[in-house]
Structure formats: C-alpha cells, structure tokens
Amino acid sequence: MRERTGTGERETTGTGERAVPGGRRPEKRWRARSLRTTLAIAFALVAAGVTALVGVLSYDSAARLVRVDQEAVFDEVVHDLRSQVRQQDLTPGDFTSADPDHDGPRDDLTRPVGTDVQILGPGGTMIDKGSPPLPVDSDARRVADADTAGTHVADDDVPVGGDEYRMATVALGDGRGAVQVAQEFSDTEDLLRELQKRTLLFAAAVVLAAGLFGWWLARRITSRLVRLAETAERVASTGRLDVAVPVTGRDEVGSLGRSFDRMLGRLARSKDDQRRLAQDAGHELRTPLTSLRTNISLLRRIDELPPASRDELVADLSDESRELTDLVNELVDLAAGHQDDEPPAEVSLGEIAEDVAVLARRRTGRTVTVRADPDTTITGRPAQLQRALTNLVENAAKFDADGTAPVEITVTRMPGAGVRMEVLDRGPGLAEVDTERIFDRFYRAPAARSRPGSGLGLSIVREVAAAHGGVPFAARRDGGGAVIGFTAREAAPD
C-alpha cells in the first residue's frame, strides 16, 4: 500500500515501509498497450464498422430486390392466367399436357419462372399432379366448383415436400375445375443465406486486411517515435548528452527529433560551460585565497613587523579581499547566466549611457563623455545593459593609468541592425591576438596580468550582448587606445 507524504510516497509492505524516492511509482517495462497496437486496433474497428454498415445495407437492398422481383413475376403469372381463363373457354384438358410448339396454356405458365402446375377437376379432384404434388384444401375445392372463371385464392408459405412455396388456385368457371400454380421461394432464401455468408466472410477478410495494414502503417509511423523514446531512455539512464538522435523526415515526428537534438546540444553546451566555469573559477580563486592565507599567517606576527610593513600588509589584505569579492560577484552573475526576473521593457540606451557616465565620474574622478543619437530605444533589460556598459567603462579607466585622456561613450542607431554601444579610451591598446580572446572567461592579456581584475567583466558583456541579439567587438583605436563595445537589438525571451 502507498501513501503520499510531504517528500514523496511511502510503500507499506508486510514487513514494514519503504520510501519511494520522489514519489514516483516503479515504471513497467512495457505498457499494457503500445501506440502501434492502438492504431492497428483503431484501423480494424473503423474498417469493421464501415464494412458492417456497407454489408448490411447492400445485403438488405439485394434481398429486398430479389424478393420483390420474384413476387412481381409470380403475381404477373397469376394475373395472366386469370385473364386467359376469362377470355377463353378452357377446360382442364387444355392444361394437362404441354404443346409441342411450347406455346400452349401450360407452357405460358411455366416459361417465365418455372412454376409448378397442377390441374384440378370438378370438386377438386386431381387430374394432373404437379411435380411435386401440391396440397388441395377446402379453399382449392371451392374454387374448382366456382361458376365464375378467374376466381382465385392465393396462399404464401405453403409447405410442399419440406420446401416453402407460394401457391395460387384459379377457377376455370362453370364448375369445370381449377389450375394451381406454385413458385418455390426456399431456393431464393437459400441463395440469400449464401450471399449473407459470403458477405460476412468478405467483411472478416476486410477487417483482417485493415488490421494488418493498420499495423504496418502504425509501425512505419511509430518506428521513429520508438527510436526517439529509446534515445531519451538512454540519455536518462546514462546521463550522456552526446547521444546521436535519429532525425528523419520533415513531418511532426522529424520536427520533434530535431527539437530534441537541439535540446541535447544546448544541454551539452550548458554542462560543458558549467564544468569549464567550475574549473576556471577554482583556478582563479586559488591565487587570491593563497595570498590571503599568507597575509593572515603574517598577522600573527604583526607586532614584530615595522610600521611600513604593517601598512603594506593591511593594504594588501584590503586589495585581495576586494578583488576576491569582485571575483565572487562576477562568478555568481555568470553562473546565473543573467537570466534574472527582470522583464524586458522599453529602454533608452542613451539614457543608460548618461547614468553610467555619472557613476564612473563619481567612482574614478575621470572625465567621461557621452555622444548618443536621438533615437536609441530598444526592448531590453535595463539592469543587464547598464552592467555591461559599466564593465566597459571600468575596464577603460583601469587600463588608462595616467587618467589624462577622457573616456568616450558613443551610442549609435544602426538602421535595421539595432543599436551600437562602444567605449573608447587612450590606454595601451590591444594586441592582435587579444582582440580574438578578450571576451573569453578569465582571459587576461599578458600586459594586464599585473593589474587588478578577474578576467570576467568582458565575458559578462558578451553574455548581455547575446541575450539582446547582438555581438561584442574590440579593435585598436587610431592614435592609440582601444574601442570595445557591443550591439543590441531586442531582448530574447527567457
């Protein structure tokens, strides 16, 4: 027995309880009915329904037509016989034998439908038996003694020799006797029963063929889904994301396969980024932590150090702790991927540039100028864009050590290509190799390794640019210095 708990489900057995992790029930290896079987059964049921409907309607129509046709022919024979005996003065002898030319009264009766003919004399005496003999009842005797020619009596479902017949007795008039004609309809019913049997066999064959065709078609349809499911199970059981995904076709299943392949690719890249981030973070954190441990060990002998060494030790501790704090904050930003809860909004990049310039002047005391086009509004995330531009300005101020040249921010509207934001400085500039790797995580140019920093500021710029449909860029500036910035279009949805 299972019961739901706050953290999952608990299974109660005869010997105690066993917790089910995550509240998930053990899955059966095979489902009770696969999609392939369901489709095959659905095909068979639809075929059975259509075949049954068509078969019943066809059989009913055919049986009705056959019965009505035979009844109409028999009624016509009786009608002709009555007209004949009224118009001609016929006796029982006229019907006792067939004419050699097959155009006598008897032949007229047997030619259309092969009816059985039996001749009765006065009082219903049997003059010429039919084949087989037909029954003579009181009504037939009364008709045989009738004075009016054409008087008749008709009966249905008359048993004759184990078969069912339609029978009619027509008076010759003046008490001379009567003519009995009969038509067997049990043969017709046997024929209809055979037709019904064959219809059922045909319907069964159609249902079987539909089931086999449905199974074949379902197998073709679901084979790719089965392969995708097997791939997903392999990923879930092994944890590997480099599994080849079978992608074929341009229909919905093919689209599902391509989406699944892209999802695995993004998961693999995300996992690789996390692993590299952890490795790089461990490497970068090791240096300031080692320096802090060394300085902390010196604090135990701070009383033995001269005043100048004490001041240098305290300043070094302050710098290392600040650098470690900045590094941890930037690592947190990168680990979060800048996917915070800030919704996209209409934001003016020119106004953001002005705010960044004011903040940079207050922090560094440097001259920061802004040149912005009138229309620099996009749909973006203001905090991310301000953080990226702040990183660029702080980077420019850090490398322009003498602080004589102003830092310039330009914001330019590019028709059809979004907005371009760039920061220009007059620092030492960039080497050709640095322009290719400057936005990599933890990358620091050889000339910058002696300066404070974590090597993460420009990688955050790259992340913000990518989140807004843009790209970062870096180049050497004419006359010395560097031009570093990024483009932005619209903020991508989370």
Side-chain angles (χ1 to χ4, degrees):
M1 181 180 67
R2 296 175 183 267
E3 59 180 358
R4 178 72 63 178
T5 63
T7 58
E9 292 182 351
R10 183 170 299 276
E11 180 178 342
T12 304
T13 62
T15 57
E17 295 182 346
R18 179 170 61 87
V20 180
R24 297 180 60 187
R25 298 176 181 269
E27 297 182 356
K28 296 182 179 179
R29 183 174 178 84
W30 300 104
R31 293 179 176 86
R33 179 181 297 172
S34 65
L35 178 60
R36 185 179 303 172
T37 304
T38 302
L39 289 176
I41 294 176
F43 267 93
L45 291 178
V46 171
V50 173
T51 305
L53 179 62
V54 173
V56 168
L57 294 178
S58 300
Y59 173 79
D60 184 69
S61 299
R64 185 180 296 110
L65 287 175
V66 171
R67 292 190 180 104
V68 169
D69 183 66
Q70 286 196 339
E71 290 176 359
V73 171
F74 183 74
D75 291 342
E76 184 177 358
V77 169
V78 174
H79 179 268
D80 292 343
L81 176 61
R82 293 180 64 194
S83 300
Q84 190 177 28
V85 299
R86 287 173 181 171
Q87 296 173 4
Q88 303 178 24
D89 189 14
L90 299 176
T91 64
D94 295 327
F95 293 93
T96 54
S97 61
D99 188 87
D101 295 331
H102 301 286
D103 57 357
R106 188 183 187 96
D107 294 322
D108 292 339
L109 298 177
T110 59
R111 186 183 300 115
V113 291
T115 55
D116 187 16
V117 179
Q118 181 170 277
I119 309 303
L120 301 179
T125 59
M126 192 174 299
I127 297 177
D128 188 0
K129 294 183 179 181
S131 179
L134 302 178
V136 180
D137 56 10
S138 59
D139 290 335
R141 294 187 183 92
R142 178 177 54 80
V143 171
D145 291 334
D147 294 331
T148 304
T151 303
H152 81 291
V153 62
D155 295 309
D156 290 334
D157 299 336
V158 178
V160 179
D163 295 323
E164 299 294 329
Y165 279 75
R166 293 185 183 90
M167 189 177 68
T169 304
V170 178
L172 295 176
D174 297 331
R176 290 176 292 183
V179 178
Q180 288 184 306
V181 291
Q183 179 189 32
E184 183 182 1
F185 64 85
S186 58
D187 289 343
T188 303
E189 296 301 324
D190 292 340
L191 177 63
L192 292 177
R193 280 192 292 270
E194 182 66 21
L195 177 62
Q196 185 181 32
K197 179 181 178 181
R198 294 191 178 187
T199 302
L200 292 176
L201 291 176
F202 176 75
V206 170
V207 171
L208 179 61
L212 294 176
F213 177 75
W215 177 267
W216 172 81
L217 185 61
R219 184 175 182 180
R220 290 201 60 181
I221 293 174
T222 60
S223 58
R224 291 180 293 164
L225 290 175
V226 170
R227 290 196 295 270
L228 283 177
E230 291 174 349
T231 302
E233 290 291 339
R234 192 179 308 118
V235 172
S237 60
T238 63
R240 295 182 54 186
L241 300 177
D242 56 346
V243 177
V245 179
V247 179
T248 56
R250 298 182 178 274
D251 54 3
E252 289 80 359
V253 179
S255 177
L256 175 62
R258 286 187 289 273
S259 299
F260 186 61
D261 185 54
R262 288 194 296 268
M263 181 189 69
L264 288 183
R266 295 196 64 176
L267 287 175
R269 288 192 296 272
S270 177
K271 187 176 180 179
D272 185 63
D273 289 342
Q274 291 178 358
R275 183 174 60 254
R276 288 192 296 106
L277 178 62
Q279 293 173 351
D280 295 341
H283 174 74
E284 293 296 327
L285 288 171
R286 190 175 296 113
T287 299
L289 288 175
T290 301
S291 178
L292 282 174
R293 290 177 61 186
T294 302
N295 291 331
I296 290 173
S297 65
L298 291 175
L299 285 176
R300 298 179 180 179
R301 297 186 295 110
I302 193 171
D303 294 336
E304 303 175 6
L305 299 177
S309 298
R310 295 179 185 178
D311 294 340
E312 183 180 355
L313 176 61
V314 172
D316 193 19
L317 282 172
S318 177
D319 292 339
E320 292 291 346
S321 62
R322 183 170 58 255
E323 183 175 351
L324 183 61
T325 301
D326 294 340
L327 177 59
V328 170
N329 289 335
E330 291 176 343
L331 282 174
V332 170
D333 287 340
L334 284 177
H338 291 277
Q339 301 298 323
D340 52 16
D341 295 332
E342 182 184 17
E346 293 293 325
V347 55
S348 173
L349 297 182
E351 295 179 359
I352 287 182
E354 293 288 351
D355 295 340
V356 170
V358 172
L359 182 63
R361 296 187 194 108
R362 184 169 63 249
R363 287 180 175 177
T364 64
R366 297 287 300 272
T367 300
V368 181
T369 62
V370 178
R371 297 197 311 271
D373 289 345
D375 180 18
T376 58
T377 301
I378 66 169
T379 301
R381 294 182 171 88
Q384 294 184 16
L385 294 168
Q386 184 170 355
R387 175 65 185 277
L389 190 57
T390 299
N391 287 356
L392 292 176
V393 174
E394 291 180 351
N395 184 76
K398 178 175 63 176
F399 284 98
D400 191 3
D402 55 6
T404 57
V407 175
E408 302 177 18
I409 304 175
T410 63
V411 184
T412 308
R413 165 65 71 176
M414 299 181 297
V419 178
R420 177 186 178 96
M421 306 180 70
E422 57 186 16
V423 176
L424 302 86
D425 63 61
R426 290 297 181 183
L430 294 172
E432 188 66 29
V433 65
D434 294 336
T435 59
E436 301 294 332
R437 300 188 57 193
I438 193 174
F439 295 100
D440 293 344
R441 292 178 181 177
F442 300 107
Y443 176 77
R444 303 182 70 185
R449 292 173 184 171
S450 60
R451 299 178 183 272
S454 63
L456 292 175
L458 294 184
S459 65
I460 292 177
V461 174
R462 181 185 63 184
E463 298 289 340
V464 173
H468 289 78
V471 293
F473 57 87
R476 288 179 291 184
R477 186 182 181 188
D478 294 337
V483 179
I484 306 176
F486 65 96
T487 61
R489 293 174 180 264
E490 304 291 338
D494 290 338

